[in-house]
Amino acid sequence: GKKLGYTFNHRNLHNISLGQGQEAVAEQALDLAAKEGHWVILQNIHLVAKWLGCLEKKLEQLSEGSHQDFRVFVSAEPAPCPESHIIPQGILENSIKITSEAPTGMHANLHKALDNFSQDTLEMCSQEKEFRSILFALCYFHAVVAERRKFGAQGWNRSYPFSTGDLTISASVLYNYLEASSKVPYDDLRYLVGEIMYGGHITDDWDRRLCRTYLEEFIKPEMLEGEICLAPGFPLPGNMDYDGYHQYIDDALPPESPYLYGLHPNAEIGFLTQRSEQLLRTVLELQPRDSGTGQGALGTQEEMVQALLEEMLGKLTDEFNMAELLAKVEERTPYAVVALQECERMNALTAEIRRSLAELELGLKGELTMTSDMETLYHSLFLDAVPESWVRRSYPSTASLGSWFADLLARISELEAWTRDFSLPSTLWLGGFFNPQSILTAVMQTAARKNKWPLDKMTLQCDVTKKSREDFASAPREGAYVHGLFMEGARWDAQAGTITDARLKELTPAMPVVFIKAIPDDKQDARGLYPCPVYKTRQRGPTYVWTFNLKTKENPSKWVLAGVALLLQT
């Protein structure tokens, strides 16, 4: 304060945390501070969105005639998306803005994690060797889980607000447990850290498994014998002082790469590709929408949209005649029910596509007034994006409009072939269903009825064949063959019949046909199997479908850390 020409003490400071009905208190503090030359700190203004307009007006009023020492400081959490930017423009334009950026990369994150402690921390526990080793492993664990989010859905299915508070509380728990016990309670520590301290943030079961697996790899009895590598080429250090640990990070930590997180290098390629596509799409959306495309090009935007619209209407087939299909079904088997449900959902989607395109066509001809919905559809067609009204009736997809529509026609073709006589196709395109769970459940229901097994005590057995779709002429006598699966994070070795490391730049290699068969729970041998989640798209998370148990010669934890999953779309 003195360097800036202020006389300042704690009585000149009004520190107010907003979000609990403190708005009136804040206004009184601002009035007093403006008169007396005090400082006001308003914390968490993002929690009082409705009051921010009043704050903007208040600051504008106080900007003239106030004491020369009067200052206002405001803080807010970063907005998760552009739609959540709620701080008024007037406040932003008239302020000096400072942001606190989180460190990037394992090197910076590991140093920052260790910065939460000191030499005194390392010396405070009676079991000093055990405490230091586990504390360093916790710091590495914290850095990994915080930085892994940059890999998108392959890193974490959902984003979690892990903080340094989780690390410092875990360190306190570690100290208390080691002081209370002569033996290191590894299981208790892993549970408290993985299921409560960090696990308390986690809402997805597969993310919980990932968190648990990291701790099982990092915190175990072998760590005290120096037999643990936190990452390839980065062994857990021995007993060092505080500065020694920082120096060890600088000297021994390998260069930044997905290997430090247990991921394959392809994970970085996929993440950067998606980020680039998102950036380019945003740039495209910023282009002016009312200009022509230039001489010699395809014509104006309107002509392009009109041509696309006519092409799509021409290719779109008639809706399924549900009355005819119902009359054709002799027995409503689980498979027939699934086929009928899929036809109904396809009808709802194609009806909306046909209706909206026909409406837009009339609007472009001037026979109907253009509505906001028609404008939105128009711009979606021009930007090669799937229109919102179609998405609501559709299946999850990350494809552009052209690819999405081609995929839609392929799905219709598959359904037409299946509903000719309702006999099960030789191989099922699992990704071609609105609801893939329904066909997998139908496999279990059919086996349950045939063998009189209780449905709730059954599971699916997955045998990966060495053949492709074209090699199958008929469906199996029990179960089903499914195709259209892709593996992310690893690949399937057809000759060895196991999961193996992915090849560089092969992000989502195709799987051979998989034979799905229902068996009782107690007949499933879990040894040498990796429980692999199946998702509809690379967004993972809410697109989860099922769990396929795949054979592996390596420890399944390797594939957990690598984020290995099966996808129905690439």
Side-chain angles (χ1 to χ4, degrees), residues 456-469:
D456 61 340
K457 293 185 178 177
M458 293 175 63
T459 189
L460 288 181
Q461 179 177 292
C462 309
D463 293 320
V464 184
T465 69
K466 294 184 179 180
K467 301 177 181 178
S468 60
R469 180 188 183 183

Side-chain angles (χ1 to χ4, degrees), residues 146-186:
E147 188 65 6
R148 188 181 168 105
R149 72 186 69 157
K150 75 178 182 183
F151 295 101
Q154 195 175 348
W156 293 102
N157 277 351
R158 291 177 169 84
S159 183
Y160 303 110
F162 300 124
S163 67
T164 53
D166 301 320
L167 175 60
T168 53
I169 293 171
S170 297
S172 298
V173 168
L174 169 64
Y175 168 75
N176 292 334
Y177 266 71
L178 290 183
E179 287 296 304
S181 173
S182 57
K183 291 184 178 179
V184 180
Y186 291 101

Side-chain angles (χ1 to χ4, degrees), residues 7-34:
T7 54
F8 180 78
N9 59 56
H10 69 277
R11 288 189 296 276
N12 301 126
L13 177 66
H14 305 268
N15 190 352
I16 301 164
S17 182
L18 296 165
Q20 298 176 352
Q22 297 291 305
E23 294 90 332
V25 175
E27 290 188 27
Q28 291 172 10
L30 287 168
D31 289 333
L32 175 63

Side-chain angles (χ1 to χ4, degrees), residues 137-138 141 145 186-191 193-195 208-223 227-230 555-558 560-561:
L138 281 175
F141 166 74
V145 298
Y186 291 101
D187 291 341
D188 293 352
L189 290 172
R190 285 194 296 262
Y191 181 84
V193 174
E195 300 292 336
R208 193 173 291 277
R209 179 182 74 162
L210 172 63
C211 181
R212 187 168 59 243
T213 303
Y214 268 129
L215 289 167
E216 287 169 356
E217 292 295 306
F218 294 164
I219 300 177
K220 52 187 178 181
E222 293 88 333
M223 68 191 308
E227 297 175 8
I228 283 186
C229 278
L230 299 172
N555 192 322
S557 64
K558 174 178 178 176
V560 173
L561 300 185

Side-chain angles (χ1 to χ4, degrees), residues 266 485-492 502-503 506-511 566 570:
N266 284 348
L485 293 163
F486 304 87
M487 184 172 282
E488 185 175 39
R491 66 182 175 90
W492 183 260
R503 295 189 181 99
E506 286 187 12
L507 303 189
T508 51
M511 290 282 288
L566 290 173
T570 57

Side-chain angles (χ1 to χ4, degrees), residues 116-424:
N116 290 289
F117 309 104
S118 64
Q119 181 64 33
D120 291 341
T121 312
L122 300 182
E123 295 172 355
M124 71 182 186
C125 185
S126 57
Q127 297 191 58
E128 200 169 293
K129 180 185 177 185
E130 292 83 353
F131 180 77
R132 292 186 182 198
S133 292
I134 298 174
L135 182 63
F136 190 89
L138 281 175
C139 288
Y140 191 88
F141 166 74
H142 176 81
V144 163
V145 298
E147 188 65 6
R148 188 181 168 105
R149 72 186 69 157
K150 75 178 182 183
F151 295 101
Q154 195 175 348
W156 293 102
N157 277 351
R158 291 177 169 84
S159 183
Y160 303 110
F162 300 124
S163 67
T164 53
D166 301 320
L167 175 60
T168 53
I169 293 171
S170 297
S172 298
V173 168
L174 169 64
Y175 168 75
N176 292 334
Y177 266 71
L178 290 183
E179 287 296 304
S181 173
S182 57
K183 291 184 178 179
V184 180
Y186 291 101
D187 291 341
D188 293 352
L189 290 172
R190 285 194 296 262
Y191 181 84
L192 288 166
V193 174
E195 300 292 336
I196 298 174
M197 305 308 170
Y198 287 83
H201 299 292
I202 298 174
T203 55
D204 184 277
D205 288 340
W206 298 103
D207 287 342
R208 193 173 291 277
R209 179 182 74 162
L210 172 63
C211 181
R212 187 168 59 243
T213 303
Y214 268 129
L215 289 167
E216 287 169 356
E217 292 295 306
F218 294 164
I219 300 177
K220 52 187 178 181
E222 293 88 333
M223 68 191 308
L224 300 180
E225 278 91 58
E227 297 175 8
I228 283 186
C229 278
L230 299 172
F234 189 60
L236 182 70
N239 226 348
M240 298 181 180
D241 63 12
Y242 182 72
D243 293 333
Y245 282 126
H246 276 296
Q247 189 62 46
Y248 180 75
I249 296 168
D250 289 335
D251 296 342
L253 187 67
E256 180 70 18
S257 81
Y259 286 126
L260 298 179
Y261 309 85
L263 291 159
H264 189 274
N266 284 348
E268 190 165 43
I269 298 172
F271 142 72
L272 292 173
T273 302
Q274 287 178 28
R275 181 177 283 185
S276 302
E277 288 173 353
Q278 188 178 10
L279 174 64
L280 292 172
R281 179 161 291 280
T282 303
V283 170
L284 179 62
E285 290 173 356
L286 292 173
Q287 298 301 304
R289 297 180 176 182
D290 54 355
S291 61
T293 55
Q295 202 168 9
L298 291 174
T300 64
Q301 284 189 14
E302 190 170 314
E303 288 170 351
M304 291 170 62
V305 171
Q306 181 70 43
L308 178 60
L309 184 153
E310 290 172 358
E311 181 188 357
M312 294 175 83
L313 281 174
K315 289 182 177 179
L316 202 60
T317 58
D318 292 334
E319 293 170 27
F320 291 97
N321 188 321
M322 296 308 298
E324 282 185 13
L325 293 182
L326 285 167
K328 202 187 292 185
V329 174
E330 296 175 3
E331 181 188 356
R332 289 183 72 111
T333 63
Y335 295 129
V337 170
V338 170
L340 292 169
Q341 288 173 344
E342 290 290 316
C343 290
E344 286 176 351
R345 295 188 68 171
M346 186 61 77
N347 279 353
L349 175 57
T350 53
E352 171 59 21
I353 294 173
R354 188 174 283 104
R355 182 203 65 76
S356 58
L357 288 178
E359 187 180 69
L360 178 59
E361 189 172 36
L362 292 174
L364 293 176
K365 290 177 180 176
E367 295 177 21
L368 276 180
T369 304
M370 289 288 281
T371 64
S372 60
D373 288 344
M374 291 159 70
E375 287 277 358
T376 302
L377 174 61
Y378 175 91
H379 291 305
S380 294
L381 294 179
F382 177 70
L383 294 170
D384 196 29
V386 183
E388 185 59 37
S389 66
W390 302 3
V391 170
R392 286 197 298 268
R393 293 164 176 81
S394 183
Y395 37 83
S397 176
T398 57
S400 60
L401 179 59
S403 302
W404 180 89
F405 192 72
D407 177 74
L408 175 74
L409 297 179
R411 289 166 182 257
I412 293 172
S413 177
E414 288 278 323
L415 276 176
E416 286 174 342
W418 189 2
T419 52
R420 284 193 189 105
D421 59 0
F422 283 93
S423 60
L424 193 66

